[in-house]
Amino acid sequence: MAHTTKNKDKLLNRVRRIRVQLDAVASGIETEAECAKVLQTLVACRGALNSLVVEFFDDHVRYHIADPKKRPTAAQAEAAQEVIDLLRACL
């Protein structure tokens, strides 16, 4: 995944923030925190993970399917963008 190298620090920071959120979920379970607080943190984790997944899909589509080195046609670029937009909508 050479294309992720340029965003490596940014991606790792996102993963670390998600890890902190998951640790908060574990802590909430251990301390028997309010269900609503734990659920809210879980939902935030899921949102953060979904966002990270979409970013990886976006990079994958742009660099492996619609390879910019091969200069995709307008139709290919549009189709790649449609896939990315659909993923964003789904997640």
Side-chain angles (χ1 to χ4, degrees), residues 63-77:
Y63 291 97
H64 296 290
I65 296 172
D67 186 354
K69 293 176 188 170
K70 295 180 181 174
R71 298 185 187 240
T73 65
Q76 289 170 324

